């Protein structure tokens, strides 16, 4: 059966009057891809939402339908569930829709609902699965034992996504990967960042002195928090590391070897994270990121970014105006850029961040859906 929107849902939004399925990988509590999914849902409010599963601590204001994987122990292990994801997306529902819109960072773009000759499939891609296609960037897939499985998943990824009519990528970096790995073109639509929230801090937060370097994110190897510690030591400045993850113990041990203070803020609240941005001399980001919402959040607080001249930072940081990008991983190479970044006007970074507001994202998504749907 075809699920058409109700009269109360229909309006002037894109795809009004047509049945729409909005697909996302798995729904966690605080991830950037979840923010994208929810922002897309505001563009097509009548869409039926589907995910593989929702984490126990994830809350949403409208119903999200889960796949059969949600009823199995595999929901607690993305690695074990990975081989079954393509099959799950092909057996998600027997219902049909006029348009399917997927938000994909693994295999959601392979979802098959309805007749491809009748159903339009549009896919917003956060990245082709890094642990499948780019194990050099994501060590979760770097084990040589996994090479045969990666080859199988790569072949299936290409073959099962041929029905996608149009791709959008979250950055030029991801646009290039889509072209290399899948042989497809994609338009770039940068993800939404809550610029207004981070910029509108209370006076007592905005007026604090900037005293330390800051690193923010998930504590996993490819984020290079160990390099941030070395950079802070080379610059002779205190470092605050905010986030959480499996590398915590290793990072704490490594931090005892340097001569500058290193403070760990484990899973700070949104309000606390905003305070940390406003108190930082600069955000350190020496990692290759697909896009990177964190550097935009920092700039919304007037905080310059000093990072690696790779990936999404090339699109979000204006070097010499809102930060500095370094084409090296030698900690000493970051010392002078940090000194210069501390002198940059905060307003330049705040103005630059406004290129990535939710309103800009939703306008671009609406244009894409209207043109391709």
């Amino acid at each position: 059966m075809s699920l058409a929107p109700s009269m109360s849902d229909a309006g002037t939004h894109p795809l009004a009057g047509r049945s729409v399925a909005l697909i996302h990988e798995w729904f966690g509590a605080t991830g950037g891809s979840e923010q994208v999914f929810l922002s897309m849902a505001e563009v097509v409010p009548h869409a039926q939402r589907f995910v593989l599963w929702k984490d126990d601590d994830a809350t949403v204001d409208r119903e999200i339908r889960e796949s059969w994987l949600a009823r199995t122990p595999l929901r607690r292990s993305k690695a074990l569930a990975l081989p079954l994801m393509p099959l799950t997306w092909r057996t998600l529902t027997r219902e049909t829709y006029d348009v399917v819109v997927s938000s994909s960072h693994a295999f959601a773009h392979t979802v098959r609902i309805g007749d491809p000759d009748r159903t339009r499939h549009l896919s917003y891609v956060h990245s082709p699965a890094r642990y499948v296609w780019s194990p050099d960037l994501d060590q979760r897939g770097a084990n040589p034992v996994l090479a045969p499985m990666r080859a199988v998943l790569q072949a299936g990824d290409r073959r099962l996504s041929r029905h996608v009519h149009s791709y959008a990528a979250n950055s030029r970096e991801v646009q290039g990967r889509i072209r290399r790995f899948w042989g497809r073109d994609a338009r770039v639509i940068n993800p939404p960042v809550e610029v207004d929230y981070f910029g509108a801090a209370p006076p007592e937060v905005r007026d604090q002195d900037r005293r330390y370097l800051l690193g923010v994110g998930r504590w996993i190897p490819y984020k290079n928090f160990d390099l941030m510690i070395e950079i802070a030591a080379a610059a002779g400045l205190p470092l605050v590391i905010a986030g959480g993850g499996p590398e915590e113990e290793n990072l704490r041990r490594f931090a005892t070897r340097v001569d500058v203070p290193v403070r760990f803020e484990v899973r700070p609240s949104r309000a606390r994270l905003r305070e940390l941005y406003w108190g930082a001399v600069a955000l350190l980001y020496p990692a290759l990121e697909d896009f990177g919402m964190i550097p935009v959040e920092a700039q919304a607080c007037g905080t310059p970014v000093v990072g690696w001249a790779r990936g999404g930072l090339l699109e979000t940081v204006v070097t010499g105006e809102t930060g500095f990008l370094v084409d090296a991983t030698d900690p000493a190479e970051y010392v002078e850029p940090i000194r210069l970044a501390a002198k940059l006007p905060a307003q330049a970074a705040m103005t630059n961040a406004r290129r990535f507001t939710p309103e800009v994202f939703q306008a671009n998504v609406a244009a894409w859906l209207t043109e391709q749907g």
Side-chain angles (χ1 to χ4, degrees):
M1 93 181 164
S2 179
L3 296 186
S6 68
M7 291 299 294
S8 61
D9 283 330
T12 58
H13 54 265
L15 309 179
R18 305 179 70 187
S19 57
V20 182
L22 183 59
I23 312 295
H24 184 64
E25 225 78 50
W26 48 81
F27 196 93
T30 58
S33 65
E34 285 83 355
Q35 294 179 41
V36 171
F37 174 64
L38 294 177
S39 192
M40 292 175 71
E42 292 182 23
V43 179
V44 280
H46 66 293
Q48 175 66 66
R49 309 174 192 183
F50 292 91
V51 296
L52 292 176
W53 63 77
K54 292 182 292 185
D55 288 352
D56 294 338
D57 57 348
T59 58
V60 292
D61 60 351
R62 284 186 54 183
E63 177 188 1
I64 296 181
R65 293 169 62 178
E66 298 177 282
S67 77
W68 58 267
L69 278 178
R71 300 187 294 275
T72 75
L74 292 174
R75 64 177 296 153
R76 309 204 181 274
S77 174
K78 298 180 180 70
L80 293 177
L82 189 65
L84 290 176
M85 288 181 190
L87 172 64
T88 307
W89 288 127
R90 310 296 273 195
T91 58
L92 185 65
T93 179
R94 298 174 67 89
E95 297 157 340
T96 61
Y97 296 83
D98 297 323
V99 182
V100 176
V101 182
S102 59
S103 162
S104 179
H105 51 76
F107 297 106
H109 69 119
T110 68
V111 68
R112 190 70 168 266
I113 298 175
D115 183 348
D117 294 329
R118 173 181 173 275
T119 302
R120 296 286 293 178
H121 185 174
L122 317 179
S123 184
Y124 184 92
V125 179
H126 306 273
S127 176
R130 290 170 62 134
Y131 34 83
V132 173
W133 289 102
S134 307
D136 54 322
L137 303 179
D138 190 336
Q139 296 179 357
R140 289 175 294 180
N143 191 324
V145 175
L146 299 177
M149 179 180 291
R150 283 201 310 272
V152 171
L153 290 172
Q154 287 174 0
D157 202 23
R158 289 194 203 96
R159 178 173 54 83
L160 296 176
S161 61
R162 292 172 183 165
H163 64 291
V164 175
H165 293 92
S166 178
Y167 279 109
N170 75 350
S171 64
R172 292 195 299 269
E173 171 72 20
V174 170
Q175 180 189 48
R177 293 180 204 168
I178 291 172
R179 187 176 295 119
R180 290 196 306 275
F181 302 150
W182 300 338
R184 300 289 298 275
D185 292 327
R187 74 170 66 189
V188 174
I189 302 177
N190 296 133
V193 181
E194 295 296 332
V195 169
D196 288 339
Y197 173 80
F198 287 99
E204 62 272 20
V205 172
R206 297 168 64 96
D207 295 340
Q208 64 180 305
D209 293 333
R210 294 182 180 270
R211 305 176 304 276
Y212 49 81
L213 298 173
L214 176 65
V216 178
R218 183 159 168 74
W219 299 342
I220 52 181
Y222 81 85
K223 299 289 188 177
N224 291 335
F225 281 92
D226 52 349
L227 178 56
M228 294 182 205
I229 294 172
E230 293 180 311
I231 291 170
L237 288 171
L239 176 66
V240 175
I241 296 178
E247 287 293 296
E248 180 176 353
E249 183 178 344
N250 291 336
L251 291 172
R252 287 185 182 276
R253 188 183 306 115
F254 189 69
T256 64
R257 304 174 190 169
V258 298
D259 295 330
V260 296
V262 179
R263 187 171 87 246
F264 290 81
E265 295 258 354
V266 181
R267 297 177 182 85
S269 68
R270 195 163 170 244
R272 177 57 179 157
L273 180 59
R274 183 170 63 177
E275 291 179 19
L276 293 173
Y277 282 137
W278 277 95
V281 172
L283 174 79
L284 296 182
Y285 216 81
L288 193 160
E289 194 62 87
D290 306 327
F291 171 74
M293 291 182 172
I294 288 167
V296 178
E297 292 174 354
Q299 290 175 81
C301 302
T303 304
V305 178
V306 178
W308 198 22
R310 293 286 190 278
L313 287 187
L314 296 173
E315 297 170 61
T316 60
V317 177
V318 183
T319 192
E321 297 182 20
T322 73
F324 289 91
L325 301 182
V326 181
D327 194 14
T329 55
D330 179 354
E333 294 292 325
Y334 289 79
V335 175
E336 181 64 8
I338 289 170
R339 186 186 70 81
L340 295 173
K343 300 179 180 180
L344 293 174
Q347 189 57 51
M350 298 172 76
T351 299
N352 183 54
R354 297 211 62 78
R355 296 190 290 130
F356 307 101
T357 64
E359 292 78 13
V360 171
F361 170 77
Q362 290 180 343
N364 289 332
V365 168
W368 174 51
L369 297 181
T370 298
E371 177 186 323
Q372 297 294 329

